[in-house]
Amino acid sequence: MGEKKHPILKFVGTTAATAAAAYAGVSAYVFREVFDLQKSSLYSGRGGTAFLTFTDSEKTEWYHHSTIDDAWIDSFDGLRLHALTLNNHTDSHNWVVLAFGPGSYDRNLLDYLYELDHAGYNVLAVDSRGCGKSEGQFTTLGWSEHYDIISWVNYLVNQDGQAKIALFGISIGAAAVMNAVGDYIPGNVVCAIEEGGFSEIREVLRFGISRVMKVDGKYILPGLNLLVRNKLHFSINDISTARQLKQAGLPMLFVQGIYSEFVPESMLFDNYYAYGGEREMLTRGDAEEHYFERIFAFLEKHFN
């Protein structure tokens, strides 16, 4: 008969197995909450234009008398993606591609559509993957979404060869826009705006985990990254918004997010100083007082 395992070794083995299982469980929980749009409590019930709410009678009346249609494309990885087109200015070639993050649409999409329309712009309001009418289960925090933004730009250019386009991203949409400007973009894009975007996926995950779970997020990131690589097919260690920004050349406005809970204010400056092109900044105080005034001044400057 073989010798019995020493009780201490047994205890160590059991403890290690328990710790490994606990770590895997925590990693899976964080993955679900951050990336899984269908199961996360962060995004529950908040998805896209299907959740547009009308509380202002003037804007409701305007919306129902506007020229609004559905647009569809296929993503690089086989998802059917949806956008809403607002085209009240058929004699104009000026377009704003508006990209929100999950959970943002129901709060203020209607306001943006209304203001942009009244300033003379046509709008393509994108349903991010997994949001609204777009297919998908997961967000990739602006990485796969940035390829979707480029696809939507190509869609507009194919529809209107004379289109002049601004990219306008908020929250995860801002991360998508920042990643997109560092890739090849058609010359029809004249400028870009990001509001409330984070500087690096790794850093925003670490910040969010530390804030919610009260432990240093760096200890959770390796297990989380295994799941990201398995399910989403990229590594959070390889994605760098700063690298994308350094490669960009479009004029860009960086706006401090008013609604962001999980993006440190310092990331506005990280993004701004990483940028390789012409840049402007709008901080929270100015954003609260002169938001659309500054937005439209920036757009008008670069469209003209």
Side-chain angles (χ1 to χ4, degrees), residues 70-204:
D70 294 312
W72 301 91
I73 60 171
D74 293 318
S75 72
F76 71 95
D77 53 351
L79 297 176
R80 192 74 171 148
L81 302 179
H82 171 264
L84 178 151
T85 62
L86 172 64
N87 189 9
N88 287 336
H89 308 283
T90 52
D91 58 343
S92 171
H93 300 284
N94 293 346
W95 285 87
V96 174
V97 174
L98 188 60
F100 281 71
S104 301
Y105 286 85
D106 57 340
R107 179 169 51 217
N108 48 21
L109 174 60
L110 187 63
D111 292 338
Y112 281 85
L113 294 177
Y114 179 85
E115 296 292 344
L116 286 164
D117 175 68
H118 280 70
Y121 298 98
N122 296 310
V123 184
L124 183 83
V126 173
D127 278 350
S128 293
R129 46 182 55 215
C131 297
K133 298 177 184 177
S134 288
E135 291 180 347
Q137 181 177 351
F138 301 104
T139 175
T140 62
L141 301 185
W143 186 246
S144 293
E145 289 86 349
H146 95 272
Y147 294 117
D148 301 338
I149 293 287
I150 295 170
S151 295
W152 281 117
V153 169
N154 287 325
Y155 167 86
L156 274 183
V157 173
N158 287 335
Q159 298 292 312
D160 178 3
Q162 299 180 63
K164 293 174 76 173
I165 301 167
L167 306 180
F168 192 165
I170 297 169
S171 180
I172 292 174
V177 164
M178 287 190 288
N179 287 320
V181 296
D183 271 345
Y184 172 75
I185 282 220
N188 303 65
V189 179
V190 298
C191 62
I193 302 170
E194 75 85 16
E195 179 183 339
F198 48 82
S199 55
E200 301 289 350
I201 287 182
R202 268 188 67 86
E203 292 310 307
V204 80

Side-chain angles (χ1 to χ4, degrees), residues 264-283:
E265 293 185 3
S266 61
M267 287 191 173
L268 169 73
F269 302 97
D270 294 339
N271 291 330
Y272 179 80
Y273 289 114
Y275 197 61
E278 181 185 337
R279 63 199 177 187
E280 296 181 31
M281 183 191 296
L282 181 57
T283 56

Side-chain angles (χ1 to χ4, degrees), residues 6-42:
H6 194 284
I8 294 178
L9 293 178
K10 234 171 143 180
F11 173 76
V12 170
T14 303
T15 303
T18 303
Y23 183 78
V26 170
S27 299
Y29 167 79
V30 174
F31 179 86
R32 184 192 72 213
E33 288 297 293
V34 173
F35 294 100
D36 193 327
L37 294 167
Q38 295 178 11
K39 297 177 182 176
S40 168
S41 62
L42 292 176

